[in-house]
Amino acid sequence: MAETTMDKIVSLCKRRGFIYQSSEIYGGLAGSWDYGPLGVSLKNNIRDFWWREMTQIYDNIVGLDSAILMHPKVWEASGHISNFTDPLVDCKNCKARFRADQIDLEAPCPNCGAKETFTKPRNFNLMFSTHIGSVEDEGSKIYLRPETAQGIYVDFKNVVQSSRVKVPFGIAQVGKSFRNEITTKSFIFRSVEFEQMEMQFFCKPGTDDHWFSHWREERLNSYHRMGIKPSSLRWHKHDDTELAFYAKEAYDIQFLFPMGWQELEGIHNRTDYDLTQHQKFSTKDLTYLDQETNERFIPYVVETSAGLTRNVLMALSDAYEEQTLENGEERTVLHFHPLIAPVMVAVLPLVKKDGLAEYSEKLEKSLREDFVTFYDQNGAIGRRYRRMDEIGTPYCVTVDYQSLSDDTVTLRYRDSMQQVRVPVSELVGRIRAANKEYVRP
RNA sequence: GCGACUGUCGUAUAACGGCUAUUACCCGAGCUUCCCAAGCUCGAGACGGGGGUUCGACUCCCCUCAGUCGCUCCA
């Protein structure tokens, strides 16, 4: 089988309208990407799949959409600001980070004892800043959020008081985040503007380990349900040197991208760190009262944090296949699970004369209520099948002369290329059934 | 942010200090066609951007933007 390279995926994405470079006619902007007609459909489908699982299937998870721009104190409380307003040094040996003004740079590393391993003092300006109002001064400086999680923590009290949730419960949010990355890399894998799908699960201290393993299992299973090859997914546990300062335990789900194993989603036990910080900085009481036991506590948080845009790249990488058919011809096919395929069904007249085109257009319109459809009458039928294969359309419906007399059509399956004769009246049911049984080849 | 390399139609490419910048695939219009990229005709489409050298620059030089690889970074 031909190797799936990033070049091939980038090329397909541009050619077929999945993803373009931002501001391309002006020479492009590094680390920014636009989602074309098929790309936005794929991205929305992945987002909707996640949202449906999290807020509709599971118990006790509610949704939220918090603002991208937040009070600057949020980022002081979270620790984001202190980490870039003060020059920092890293120990190259143990990766520990220190404020340059608080340690002796000539001395051995206080953490691991290694000598002369400090980097030069640097400012880490990972947050984009801007100004509210038309006057630029320090007082009006605000930031674009570098993660969606803080919006959830800050609204914790509001959600508890307004939606009758009881611990343990979760808050889910999908939204854009921004990081002023020093290097952007590997197509859309790391970009300055990206979308996150995060769920913060609030639980009683002491139950956090249970919920941590619960969510680890659920999140990996979710990718299996999306049709991703299990052999392309694996766990990566953060050891002590990789653990963020707020985390008690952290695992990443990694995916085998064309450039190697990379992080797709993080499951982190963030303890009560964030709520405690916000309680301290806001001076508002963020404790939770358990009415049954009459206990008051700050909940622990288990976070599932997935990159939506990374999910798009995963879906493309996982689905991409170049096949050599039995007759020696080549085809490129995207094996998207029907749940996320940008187009569900294409309707194609075998030829475009003798009323076949008219019949097909009418059929295509009638299917629109149930599926995302596409109509194409242009060129030989085989060519149109290949075009649909290349954008990952799971089903093609072909109208021929027999259709005109008995209202049956050919239903052609993308992965197997097999065809069955189906009455038009059974089409929707057949496609729905096939979707339920779908197994990625 | 540092170093090395690379920029020609959507993709992959060819050539050249000087005639209308080559070819294939893709794409569009038409003909043909009763199920998997067939064929024929026609058509659209490119030298990343700016500056310099030169009678003349896609070609040489400088800057810039973008990309690839390695380091760094990824609280």
Side-chain angles (χ1 to χ4, degrees), chain A residues 181-197:
Chain A
E181 302 283 3
I182 292 167
T183 50
T184 54
K185 220 174 178 178
S186 299
F187 195 32
I188 58 170
F189 180 77
R190 185 190 288 176
S191 44
V192 294
E193 173 181 343
F194 59 103
E195 272 182 270
Q196 294 186 299
M197 305 186 290

Side-chain angles (χ1 to χ4, degrees), chain A residues 211-225:
Chain A
W211 287 111
F212 185 76
S213 53
H214 171 82
W215 283 113
R216 272 186 59 199
E217 193 178 331
E218 287 297 330
R219 289 310 305 148
L220 186 62
N221 286 340
S222 179
Y223 288 105
H224 297 159
R225 287 191 290 272

Side-chain angles (χ1 to χ4, degrees), chain A residues 107-171:
Chain A
C109 171
N111 189 48
C112 68
K115 289 175 186 171
E116 293 174 12
T117 56
F118 291 122
T119 58
K120 277 181 288 186
R122 290 170 292 188
N123 284 317
F124 286 84
N125 197 351
L126 284 168
M127 283 197 290
F128 283 99
S129 62
T130 185
H131 292 82
I132 282 232
S134 54
V135 182
E136 289 197 10
D137 59 43
E138 273 303 306
S140 59
K141 189 174 186 181
I142 54 165
Y143 302 94
L144 303 188
R145 67 183 176 199
E147 64 176 27
T148 55
Q150 298 304 325
I152 295 179
Y153 304 138
V154 167
D155 268 333
F156 169 73
K157 200 87 185 169
N158 277 333
V159 172
V160 167
Q161 288 176 346
S162 62
S163 63
R164 304 179 61 208
V165 288
K166 287 180 182 167
V167 167
F169 75 97
I171 301 178

Side-chain angles (χ1 to χ4, degrees), chain A residues 151-433:
Chain A
I152 295 179
Y153 304 138
V154 167
D155 268 333
F156 169 73
K157 200 87 185 169
N158 277 333
V159 172
V160 167
Q161 288 176 346
S162 62
S163 63
R164 304 179 61 208
V165 288
K166 287 180 182 167
V167 167
F169 75 97
I171 301 178
Q173 168 160 239
V174 178
K176 292 217 171 185
S177 294
F178 304 82
R179 293 184 197 179
N180 212 344
E181 302 283 3
I182 292 167
T183 50
T184 54
K185 220 174 178 178
S186 299
F187 195 32
I188 58 170
F189 180 77
R190 185 190 288 176
S191 44
V192 294
E193 173 181 343
F194 59 103
E195 272 182 270
Q196 294 186 299
M197 305 186 290
E198 294 198 316
M199 192 277 293
Q200 311 291 324
F201 196 78
F202 300 89
C203 62
K204 189 174 174 181
T207 66
D208 50 309
D209 289 338
H210 161 75
W211 287 111
F212 185 76
S213 53
H214 171 82
W215 283 113
R216 272 186 59 199
E217 193 178 331
E218 287 297 330
R219 289 310 305 148
L220 186 62
N221 286 340
S222 179
Y223 288 105
H224 297 159
R225 287 191 290 272
M226 208 201 284
I228 306 303
K229 274 199 294 285
S231 60
S232 296
L233 296 161
R234 75 174 188 191
W235 286 108
H236 172 76
K237 185 187 198 301
H238 287 219
D239 61 31
D240 291 344
T241 62
E242 293 174 296
L243 220 46
F245 59 87
Y246 51 74
K248 174 176 165 186
E249 197 173 14
Y251 278 79
D252 291 338
I253 296 174
Q254 294 190 333
F255 175 78
L256 186 54
F257 287 95
M259 67 282 188
W261 289 99
Q262 295 287 342
E263 181 190 344
L264 185 67
E265 169 162 356
I267 290 89
H268 302 153
N269 184 342
R270 295 180 70 136
T271 70
D272 59 357
Y273 174 81
D274 298 281
L275 287 178
T276 303
Q277 286 293 105
H278 286 302
Q279 175 165 281
K280 190 167 126 194
F281 277 74
S282 70
T283 70
K284 299 290 189 299
D285 179 14
L286 297 182
T287 57
Y288 173 84
L289 176 64
D290 186 326
Q291 306 266 13
E292 287 175 24
T293 62
N294 225 25
E295 285 178 274
R296 196 172 271 285
F297 54 84
I298 290 185
Y300 266 44
V301 171
V302 173
E303 163 190 76
T304 69
S305 175
L308 172 54
T309 34
R310 285 183 183 186
N311 264 255
V312 171
L313 185 58
M314 170 197 68
L316 287 163
S317 311
D318 182 70
Y320 189 93
E321 188 188 5
E322 290 172 356
Q323 293 178 330
T324 303
L325 305 177
E326 285 175 16
N327 62 8
E329 287 176 352
E330 310 263 325
R331 76 161 181 165
T332 300
V333 55
L334 293 180
H335 298 285
F336 288 135
H337 193 291
L339 281 167
I340 62 171
V343 176
M344 185 71 86
V345 51
V347 180
L348 317 167
L350 189 59
V351 294
K352 58 179 160 183
K353 58 181 185 182
D354 301 330
L356 295 187
E358 290 75 11
Y359 188 101
S360 302
E361 284 183 282
K362 208 174 138 195
L363 175 59
E364 188 260 334
K365 281 199 172 72
S366 76
L367 290 171
R368 286 183 191 176
E369 279 194 29
D370 297 281
F371 306 114
V372 176
T373 61
F374 187 80
Y375 174 73
D376 189 4
Q377 62 174 33
N378 192 2
I381 188 70
R383 177 188 299 271
R384 283 176 277 160
Y385 285 148
R386 300 300 165 80
R387 272 201 283 247
M388 288 299 107
D389 290 340
E390 205 180 29
I391 65 169
T393 304
Y395 311 103
C396 290
V397 169
T398 306
V399 171
D400 57 22
Y401 286 99
Q402 191 187 332
S403 310
L404 300 180
S405 57
D406 69 358
D407 286 323
T408 61
V409 291
T410 303
L411 179 60
R412 183 250 193 196
Y413 297 89
R414 175 195 65 201
D415 295 341
S416 65
M417 297 173 71
Q418 284 177 344
Q419 309 187 97
V420 291
R421 193 94 203 163
V422 180
V424 167
S425 59
E426 292 178 20
L427 259 184
V428 172
R430 286 290 197 107
I431 290 172
R432 289 233 166 96

